[in-house]
Amino acid sequence: MQIPFLVPDIAEAEIDEVVDTLKSGWLTTGPKTKKLERQLADFCNTNRLICLNSSTACTEMALRILGIGPGDEVITTAYTYTASASVICHVGATPVLVDTAKDSFEMDYDQMEKAITEKTKAIIPVDLGGVMCDYNRIFSIVTGKKHLYSSANKFQSAIGRIAVVADAAHALGATRKGKKCGEVADFTSFSFHAVKNFTTSEGGGLTWKAIQGIDDEEIYKRLNLLSLHGQSKDALEKTKLGEWEYDVVGTYYKCNMTDVLAALGIAQLKRYPGMLERRKDIIMTYDNAFKEFPVQVLKHYGKDFSSSGHLYCVRVSGKNRNECNVIMNKMAERGIATNVHYKPLPMLTAYKNLGFNIEEFPNAFEIFSNEITLPLYSKLTDEDVRYIVENLKACISS
Ligand SMILES: *Cc1c(COP(=O)(O)O)cnc(C)c1O
């Protein structure tokens, strides 16, 4: 048996919708992108959402609209993918990394609070594996630190405190305390990269909570300018007869979504609730199978939260990284691909060069030391899942 780490879930419906776009005569940002944006905003219970070419671009544009740049600090977790932190560097601000809490995949909120200075302009919590962070706690901390905050533009003063910009690359469809991911943080980015739950092959969505005193349309228009060369009309508007003339209001960026990719998303979104259910079934099967086994698993469902079920993270009790790598190799010999989420940022060259040292992040290091991520996707069959469970048990015990 061969079980890849991921097989994207693409049905005939997606193929048909993409072909329809290819035949339509309109390939780049246009009617399908606008349609997907409306549908995703409805899905997230928000007023507006913009689709861009990646979640990284979405988070970066959120920081840009907030006017965050050189001299500012932005806090994120050490236990994440580089994109959560590299965007801070892209805008010229200083990344401040915080350790995870002991035996948790989430940031240590006490340390996060201590890391706040008068330069802190945003916090980027990461909804790892699809599990939403404790936003009540995060908002109460940033509200408590209002006295340190000074605003540098109208978006910053309308928010009036450190902005919460969620990296929800994994978490489309997650809920916490009755709220959907997207309607909780000030800004929320989702990834539609091929390895994520919901995919347009590459792509991302940025949504936001209504900001008092600022029109959602103004934010949407500004995001369009930032993502499309600062051009006052998009390609579709320019095509209308007699409408060739446009202005460029800033030397901005290029990270718009195309209609070909949006078409994939439109078809995928119809199937997405079913895909989330399938992920839940698989997680329940894994959870039951590992109950009496010496592993700890990331908790995806609880009384007041439900994850999007993106990653099945296992921690093997009593093992170190080398021993876990041996287990992963044995799994590979049995045809099962596994992965590690994540090697903490301070262990990567770019972040070492920025002066980060893993010794200052003992909890993140400890999680990394015995973490193995199992395959989890809607195309896995029950038989695949049984095979993975049996073999993980065998490989850990042998
Ligand atoms: C995948 C991922 C991203 C980046 O998503 P892109 O759409 O590839 O830009 C950001 N953060 C996390 C945690 C991710 O896993």
Side-chain angles (χ1 to χ4, degrees), residues 229-251:
H229 294 306
Q231 193 175 291
S232 62
K233 285 179 192 165
D234 68 24
L236 191 66
E237 287 170 298
K238 273 175 57 191
T239 329
K240 290 183 191 141
L241 289 175
E243 294 286 328
W244 68 269
E245 195 168 358
Y246 62 93
D247 190 17
V248 168
V249 302
T251 54

Side-chain angles (χ1 to χ4, degrees), residues 135-186:
Y135 287 95
N136 284 7
R137 183 83 199 280
I138 295 167
F139 275 106
S140 89
I141 290 170
V142 295
T143 306
K145 293 279 184 179
K146 257 185 173 172
H147 59 284
L148 289 177
Y149 186 82
S150 57
S151 52
N153 73 6
K154 73 170 188 180
F155 294 100
Q156 291 189 11
S157 47
I159 292 176
R161 48 158 173 73
I162 295 167
V164 179
V165 180
D167 179 344
H170 301 172
L172 183 71
T175 60
R176 188 176 174 123
K177 297 194 190 297
K179 295 230 166 143
K180 271 272 179 76
C181 185
E183 60 174 328
V184 180
D186 295 311

Side-chain angles (χ1 to χ4, degrees), residues 40 49-55 58-59 166 168 188-192 203-207 257:
L40 282 168
L49 178 146
I50 188 167
C51 285
L52 300 178
N53 69 3
S54 72
S55 162
C58 288
T59 310
T188 301
S189 309
F190 300 106
S191 174
F192 311 148
L206 177 66
T207 192
M257 170 162 278

